[in-house]
Amino acid sequence: MKKILFILLIGFVTSLHAEPKKIFVWQDPNGVLVFSDTPKLNAEEIKLNTNPNIIKSVSAAIFDASNTEKNAKEEYKISIEQPKELGTVRDNTGSVYVSGKIEPVFERGLKVKLYLDGTLYGEAKNSSIYILRDVDRGEHRIYMELLDKSGKVIATSPTRTFYLHKNSIINPN
């Protein structure tokens, strides 16, 4: 019995002198604060008081929604990879394959809208790949908008001009 009490006493004394764990906090893409004992990029370390029941408050910058929106606008970029600028698409059915590129990474919850000649083409999608159907021959302009989870535009691509060429029955060249 004395051995058990001695082991418990040693365990209790060593736990009193153990180094306190570090706690980190960051905001996830949904705006929710995440607390963890492992650091992450842009995480803020919370300094713990020696009293385990008292912690210091988190920086107000984490709660600043306008700062988060500003960073989101600067963070994401969207561009059109295909068709090429001033390129000619040759398709008698009027089909045009459009692919976009989103940087840094396309996250779940983001949506993409495609505009053809100033008009929204279809609905917002979870992908930056579109297949346009029944496009008339001639010059066309397209651009994409990247939307966040609330539907707010966070990035817009430069306008891309392309030409659709269809063979003519009268003049097949």
Side-chain angles (χ1 to χ4, degrees):
M1 183 71 168
K2 289 182 182 181
K3 288 182 183 181
I4 294 174
L5 285 175
F6 181 71
I7 293 172
L8 288 174
L9 182 63
I10 288 178
F12 178 71
V13 170
T14 56
S15 69
L16 289 177
H17 295 292
E19 187 175 317
K21 293 262 185 188
K22 293 181 179 183
I23 298 177
F24 300 91
V25 64
W26 66 87
Q27 197 170 27
D28 74 1
N30 296 328
V32 177
L33 288 179
V34 178
F35 294 87
S36 176
D37 60 351
T38 56
K40 186 177 179 179
L41 185 64
N42 297 327
E44 181 180 325
E45 182 179 348
I46 297 176
K47 301 289 184 187
L48 296 178
N49 195 346
T50 55
N51 184 344
N53 295 326
I54 300 173
I55 63 170
K56 293 181 181 178
S57 65
V58 178
S59 170
I62 293 177
F63 297 103
D64 185 6
S66 63
N67 188 25
T68 303
E69 290 174 9
K70 184 177 180 182
N71 289 342
K73 284 183 182 178
E74 294 172 354
E75 188 174 310
Y76 284 103
K77 294 179 183 176
I78 185 168
S79 59
I80 297 173
E81 296 291 302
Q82 179 141 1
K84 297 294 181 195
E85 175 66 17
L86 300 177
T88 299
V89 177
R90 299 177 189 281
D91 191 293
N92 289 336
T93 65
S95 297
V96 179
Y97 297 90
V98 179
S99 66
K101 180 179 178 183
I102 298 169
E103 294 179 301
V105 171
F106 193 97
E107 292 183 10
R108 186 173 22 171
L110 297 179
K111 300 254 185 194
V112 177
K113 285 184 179 180
L114 176 71
Y115 290 84
L116 172 65
D117 298 326
T119 305
L120 178 63
Y121 187 87
E123 296 181 9
K125 294 174 48 173
N126 296 327
S127 169
S128 60
I129 298 173
Y130 281 82
I131 301 174
L132 308 179
R133 302 281 186 206
D134 300 320
V135 178
D136 292 330
R137 72 178 64 213
E139 180 181 281
H140 299 281
R141 288 180 177 76
I142 55 174
Y143 68 93
M144 291 181 165
E145 290 180 340
L146 181 63
L147 310 172
D148 65 8
K149 294 173 184 170
S150 65
K152 186 173 182 178
V153 176
I154 57 174
T156 303
S157 74
T159 300
R160 170 82 40 113
T161 301
F162 71 94
Y163 303 95
L164 180 66
H165 176 79
K166 293 181 181 180
N167 286 333
S168 170
I169 296 174
I170 298 172
N171 185 4
N173 294 328

